[in-house]
Amino acid sequence: MTVVHSAPKFTLVENAKADLSAALGTMLLGAHEEHGELLFTVQRGEIENALRLLRDEHEYQQLVEIAGVDYPDRAERFEVVYMLLSLTKNHRIMVKVSAAENTPVPTVTTLWPVAGWLEREVFDMYGVVFDGNTDLRRILTDYGFEGHPFRKDFPMTGYVELRYSEEDKRVVYEPVELAQDMRSFDFLSPWEGADYVLPGDEKAATPPIDDPKVTEGPEDTGAGAKADAKAAEPVSEGAPAEVDTDIAEPDAPTPTEDRKGKAKRKKTAADTAAATETKKGKGA
């Protein structure tokens, strides 16, 4: 029994390179294979026609991504790379064009509407202008941002930074100020070890204590029968309650037993101290 799979077959790179190169004809500037993928370089002014040909006649239906690349040493420093996917062939190719800072690249929003967002990203990050894009605005950086972050001549720290000012009650832009210097890394192997002592490792070289202080028994802690007897005393010696200051306190209340007309208590309750203290040898 023959099993028919719904998944498309893979297109061989060698066959696709020859077929697509012949189809692009004079629009093609070069074609080569890199990392198992095909890259076609076409004329900048023919990018729309080339991608329409690949979409309609060679079944590369989907525009997956548009990316930018910066080569500052080249006369045309930028490359715009279009990544196409064929759902029927299960195959991917990349088509690229070159452009200078003041050289516009034709838009492909006429072929894929999603290209509008992708072209805005390349414009925002690299400064490449797309001719025919009716909504070419920044998409990732903030309002009023100057420069293009992915250019290799863009400073690592940027030009300005923004924060919310409580005084002005709005977002303000200020020159960039680094809170700390950029750290440097030595990239040494962790298995070989560094030539310097890392913070915290200096404790590993601390010698052990010769005579550590330990508590082998109750006598080392101060506990025992003597300490228990001291704690059982009802009033500590020299406590404020035992000291007569001989200072008259006119506003102090009169003791209950000394009030005039107060009947004496019956039995032993009159002796407060004797009634509250516990006799030795008896439990509480």
Side-chain angles (χ1 to χ4, degrees):
M1 180 178 178
T2 303
V3 179
V4 180
H5 295 279
S6 59
K9 296 181 179 179
F10 284 94
T11 300
L12 298 179
V13 173
E14 296 80 4
N15 298 340
K17 180 181 178 181
D19 295 342
L20 297 178
S21 297
L24 292 172
T26 58
M27 295 184 291
L28 184 66
L29 297 178
H32 68 280
E33 177 187 350
E34 187 174 347
H35 304 296
E37 295 183 342
L38 286 178
L39 286 85
F40 298 92
T41 304
V42 301
Q43 298 182 26
R44 180 174 55 255
E46 297 291 340
I47 182 61
E48 182 181 359
N49 296 329
L51 295 184
R52 179 181 287 107
L53 176 69
L54 294 173
R55 184 194 67 176
D56 298 342
E57 299 185 15
H58 295 274
E59 300 179 333
Y60 288 91
Q61 305 96 340
Q62 188 171 358
L63 175 65
V64 178
E65 179 63 282
I66 301 178
V69 188
D70 184 14
Y71 299 95
D73 298 333
R74 296 183 182 179
E76 294 186 342
R77 59 182 295 184
F78 301 114
E79 283 187 352
V80 181
V81 184
Y82 302 82
M83 304 178 188
L84 305 181
L85 170 65
S86 174
L87 301 176
T88 54
K89 297 180 180 180
N90 195 14
H91 190 246
R92 297 172 183 264
I93 61 173
M94 289 188 287
V95 182
K96 62 181 181 179
V97 298
S98 59
E101 296 184 25
N102 55 353
T103 305
V105 177
T107 183
V108 294
T109 52
T110 55
L111 305 177
W112 294 281
V114 70
W117 292 73
L118 303 176
E119 289 175 354
R120 286 177 59 183
E121 182 178 352
V122 176
F123 163 72
D124 195 1
M125 296 293 103
Y126 295 92
V128 178
V129 178
F130 292 89
D131 185 20
N133 190 320
T134 58
D135 189 23
L136 195 61
R137 295 175 293 128
R138 292 184 180 272
I139 192 172
L140 296 178
T141 55
D142 197 12
Y143 300 104
F145 186 87
E146 297 180 2
H148 303 280
F150 280 5
R151 288 190 177 185
K152 291 191 172 77
D153 56 0
F154 191 87
M156 295 179 62
T157 58
Y159 293 113
V160 295
E161 60 184 359
L162 69 156
R163 65 177 180 85
Y164 182 79
S165 174
E166 288 290 347
E167 299 177 358
D168 301 334
K169 300 299 180 182
R170 64 182 182 87
V171 176
V172 296
Y173 288 84
E174 298 175 340
V176 171
E177 295 182 3
L178 295 180
Q180 62 181 8
D181 294 336
M182 297 184 64
R183 294 176 295 174
S184 59
F185 300 90
D186 50 24
F187 299 103
L188 295 177
S189 171
W191 307 110
E192 298 175 359
D195 297 333
Y196 52 86
V197 179
L198 295 175
D201 287 355
E202 68 277 1
K203 301 177 182 179
T206 304
I209 300 175
D210 297 333
D211 188 15
K213 185 177 181 180
V214 296
T215 54
E216 299 292 345
E219 62 276 4
D220 297 329
T221 63
K226 185 176 180 181
D228 296 341
K230 185 68 176 178
E233 295 181 0
V235 179
S236 299
E237 184 178 356
E242 296 291 332
V243 178
D244 188 359
T245 59
D246 295 330
I247 299 176
E249 298 289 348
D251 297 333
T254 304
T256 304
E257 297 297 333
D258 298 339
R259 292 178 185 176
K260 296 181 178 180
K262 180 68 175 178
K264 293 186 177 181
R265 297 181 182 180
K266 299 179 180 180
K267 299 184 180 180
T268 59
D271 188 358
T272 306
T276 56
E277 288 185 359
T278 304
K279 295 182 180 180
K280 295 182 179 181
K282 295 183 179 181

